[in-house]
Amino acid sequence: MPLDEFDRKILAALQEDARMPVAQVAEHAALSATPVSRRIRKLEEDGVIRGYQPVLDPRKLGLELNAYVLINLDAHSDVNIQRFESAIQDNAYVIACHAVTGDMDYLVHVIARDVEHLSQITLKSLLRIPGVRDVKSIIVLETIKPPLKLPLG
Amino acid sequence: MPLDEFDRKILAALQEDARMPVAQVAEHAALSATPVSRRIRKLEEDGVIRGYQPVLDPRKLGLELNAYVLINLDAHSDVNIQRFESAIQDNAYVIACHAVTGDMDYLVHVIARDVEHLSQITLKSLLRIPGVRDVKSIIVLETIKPPLKLPLG
DNA sequence: TATGAAATAATATAGTT
DNA sequence: AACTATATTATTTCATA
């Protein structure tokens, strides 16, 4: 079940364009369509490919502001953690969240329409989650490299 | 050219599964296949949909460790910035990078096989970029919410 | 100007070797 | 794994609101 060179070439091609026709993926992998089709299905079944997503332009959706918000809880009880993580799941403007090392507990990726909207999300949603002590916002000024591909080497 | 409710429903369906058949997207949007097909193409042409990506499981690719690395430059000359950003583009394990506010200049999302690999990336690649003064690593312990969807409301 | 239904074209999948 | 045949699916055409 480990990936071979064909699988890597297939994944690389799909990372270029997940809607690329199988025949074209096959060219990239120096294979014919049939085995590529079967391999893609196997990669899906094995959970290597978890799904397919459109890459949307946040600006075209009116979402101009990205921020990374570091959050601290005042007590790390199960209830607090449960409540925090559930509030995070429910907030559509929190597009990612990780528990992290260091003096802050969570790193939260927030996307917002503008500064006022970010402020509203921070003050009215994040800071009001019970157990949240402190938040520090890192605001994105410019995206140098957008998150698109994973390394396959 | 602003998005209407149909467009939002279409985008929401595609965010569930970008390979969903047009007929099925059409059901979600309470429309028939023809206009959905045309609307999707228009969304692509307008740059709202920038492309399509497979969602890969990093663990299945042997990438077990995520880190957010904050980086400081010692001088903000054009050369330094140019050199830094170009080095970032060339590094496949840097999967995203933003210029940010605060006392650090950049927030870099690194994905690595393990702690040793992260250490190697930090010491042998990032810290060796000319102009880099300081790095602070925030290591991801657990992903609470994986980055998948953008809010469409 | 945008839709829906039907016809056509493109593409993916299954069977066979 | 490839070739061929079949089945899905997408797109175009055309009539219409």
Side-chain angles (χ1 to χ4, degrees), chain B:
Chain B
M1 196 208 110
L3 306 185
D4 64 11
E5 268 314 300
F6 290 124
D7 292 320
R8 280 178 214 285
K9 292 235 176 78
I10 290 166
L11 291 176
L14 290 177
Q15 283 204 114
E16 289 301 325
D17 172 11
R19 286 200 161 181
M20 185 184 287
V22 173
Q24 206 175 324
V25 177
E27 278 181 44
H28 279 78
L31 226 54
S32 78
T34 311
V36 168
S37 181
R38 279 204 269 260
R39 276 166 182 268
I40 291 174
R41 191 174 23 184
K42 184 157 182 357
L43 290 165
E44 290 166 352
E45 284 165 359
D46 292 348
V48 179
I49 299 174
R50 298 177 75 103
Y52 300 91
Q53 281 247 171
V55 180
L56 305 184
D57 184 338
R59 293 188 181 199
K60 295 274 165 76
L61 300 170
L63 300 163
E64 305 271 347
L65 194 69
N66 278 278
Y68 288 86
V69 183
L70 288 156
I71 299 186
N72 236 334
L73 299 189
D74 52 31
H76 302 83
S77 62
D78 284 359
V79 219
N80 264 2
I81 291 172
Q82 212 64 54
R83 226 166 8 185
F84 176 78
E85 298 188 353
S86 141
I88 287 300
Q89 297 294 353
D90 294 347
N91 192 325
Y93 296 97
V94 171
I95 58 176
C97 173
H98 309 277
V100 295
T101 59
D103 41 282
M104 302 301 273
D105 297 318
Y106 294 99
L107 178 62
V108 165
H109 184 179
V110 173
I111 191 158
R113 289 189 284 275
D114 48 37
V115 179
E116 190 187 325
H117 187 211
L118 173 64
S119 161
Q120 186 200 312
I121 292 166
T122 308
L123 300 173
K124 301 255 169 78
S125 300
L126 300 179
L127 272 171
R128 286 199 186 164
I129 301 170
V132 166
R133 191 216 311 252
D134 193 21
V135 311
K136 284 187 216 174
S137 296
I138 296 171
I139 291 172
V140 171
L141 298 172
E142 191 192 351
T143 294
I144 310 302
K145 189 173 187 174
L148 282 175
K149 294 179 193 173
L150 291 181
L152 300 171

Side-chain angles (χ1 to χ4, degrees), chain A residues 124-140:
Chain A
K124 302 255 169 78
S125 301
L126 300 179
L127 271 170
R128 287 200 187 164
I129 302 170
V132 166
R133 189 217 312 253
D134 192 21
V135 311
K136 284 187 214 174
S137 296
I138 296 171
I139 291 172
V140 171

Side-chain angles (χ1 to χ4, degrees), chain A residues 10 14 36 42 51 56 63 97 108-109 112 116 121 128 136 146 151:
Chain A
I10 289 166
L14 290 177
V36 169
K42 184 157 182 358
L56 304 184
L63 300 164
C97 173
V108 165
H109 184 179
E116 190 185 325
I121 292 165
R128 287 200 187 164
K136 284 187 214 174

Side-chain angles (χ1 to χ4, degrees), chain A residues 21-22 34 37-38 41:
Chain A
V22 173
T34 311
S37 181
R38 291 204 180 113
R41 179 139 44 99

Side-chain angles (χ1 to χ4, degrees), chain A residues 83-122:
Chain A
R83 225 166 11 184
F84 175 78
E85 298 188 353
S86 144
I88 287 300
Q89 297 294 353
D90 293 347
N91 191 325
Y93 296 97
V94 171
I95 58 176
C97 173
H98 307 277
V100 295
T101 59
D103 41 282
M104 302 300 273
D105 297 318
Y106 293 99
L107 178 62
V108 165
H109 184 179
V110 174
I111 191 158
R113 290 190 284 274
D114 49 37
V115 179
E116 190 185 325
H117 187 210
L118 173 64
S119 161
Q120 187 199 311
I121 292 165
T122 308

Side-chain angles (χ1 to χ4, degrees), chain A residues 52-96:
Chain A
Y52 300 91
Q53 281 247 180
V55 181
L56 304 184
D57 184 338
R59 294 190 181 198
K60 295 273 164 77
L61 299 171
L63 300 164
E64 306 271 346
L65 193 69
N66 277 279
Y68 287 87
V69 182
L70 288 157
I71 299 184
N72 236 335
L73 299 189
D74 53 31
H76 301 83
S77 62
D78 284 359
V79 218
N80 265 1
I81 291 172
Q82 211 64 54
R83 225 166 11 184
F84 175 78
E85 298 188 353
S86 144
I88 287 300
Q89 297 294 353
D90 293 347
N91 191 325
Y93 296 97
V94 171
I95 58 176

